[in-house]
Amino acid sequence: MEFKVSGVEVVLMKGDITEVEADAIVNAANSYLEHGGGVAGAIVRKGGAVIQEESREWVRRHGPVPVGGVAVTSAGRLRAKYVIHAVGPRCGVEPIEKLGEAVRNALRKAEELGLLSIAFPAISTGIFGCPYDAAALQMAQAIKEAAPQLRSVRRIMVVLYGEEAFQKFVEVFKKTI
Ligand code: AR6
């Protein structure tokens, strides 16, 4: 499913984000960048331990990543050049709006790095417990708001794991973007 927002291509797809061809893939991380299960676990398994090591080094230098914030590491053996680790909210603990902030910060970072394409997972909808529709709304609004300012980023992918997530995201993006 493809959309065009202020000249930026936005693509929703089903699949495994570690297989996607993009300059950066976004990880659904926690503040300590300790990559356990979910997307984070898959990224480290496939990309290699270097991603976890660089993440620990990042936290040693800068301290924990705030909720809504991002940190960048290399992508090890993955096809991407970078992993942008974005910390989404834990639903019921932190406000869902922090998810929009994480998306805007990831896009800003991709611009700083001069990247053409970036792939997001459905941040916060796994272990962090946010419903797909609320998360999709945050992501769609953040992308729509950021798109007019993007110069280098021309393609934004949102990679959904499974049919239910894909259907919910399509429904919300159609209404919002
Ligand atoms: N590709 C795309 N999406 C995936 C993949 C994959 N390979 N694997 C899972 N998903 P989660 P969170 C979907 O739990 O909720 C970690 O332990 C999954 O179905 O990865 O932000 C971190 O270290 C769900 O829809 O992220 C943090 O501690 C979505 O990706 C914590 O989990 C996000 O699920 C972050 O929790």
Side-chain angles (χ1 to χ4, degrees):
M1 172 69 58
E2 297 204 13
F3 304 86
K4 199 93 175 185
V5 197
S6 307
V8 180
E9 217 181 315
V10 178
V11 184
L12 299 190
M13 61 176 83
K14 252 186 298 184
D16 177 346
I17 197 165
T18 64
E19 303 284 344
V20 166
E21 183 98 51
D23 291 335
I25 63 174
V26 176
N27 179 24
N30 58 52
S31 291
Y32 298 96
L33 303 183
E34 288 294 335
H35 310 308
V39 180
I43 285 175
V44 172
R45 270 197 309 279
K46 210 165 272 180
V50 65
I51 297 173
Q52 182 62 78
E53 284 155 18
E54 284 182 27
S55 294
R56 289 200 179 119
E57 184 55 29
W58 197 98
V59 173
R60 263 196 299 276
R61 283 187 191 189
H62 307 276
V65 183
V67 178
V70 298
V72 182
T73 67
S74 70
R77 292 189 300 266
L78 296 175
R79 276 192 286 190
K81 296 187 184 116
Y82 301 98
V83 177
I84 300 177
H85 303 272
V87 181
R90 288 168 293 167
C91 269
V93 181
E94 290 118 7
I96 185 91
E97 287 73 23
K98 291 279 178 187
L99 178 45
E101 198 178 314
V103 170
R104 286 192 299 274
N105 280 325
L107 291 171
R108 198 169 301 141
K109 187 56 77 177
E111 280 288 305
E112 268 172 47
L113 294 166
L115 308 182
L116 192 77
S117 58
I118 180 170
F120 286 89
I123 300 170
S124 287
T125 65
I127 292 163
F128 283 1
C130 300
Y132 291 133
D133 50 359
L137 182 62
Q138 288 297 316
M139 291 192 72
Q141 285 175 338
I143 290 170
K144 193 176 175 184
E145 190 188 312
Q149 280 97 51
L150 299 175
R151 297 288 170 268
S152 138
V153 174
R154 298 285 89 197
R155 185 171 161 85
I156 301 170
M157 286 165 269
V158 183
V159 185
L160 289 323
Y161 209 49
E163 187 61 29
E164 192 198 342
F166 180 71
Q167 291 305 338
K168 282 271 166 63
F169 268 68
V170 166
E171 197 181 303
V172 174
F173 270 64
K174 270 186 182 162
K175 279 190 268 183
T176 313
I177 284 264

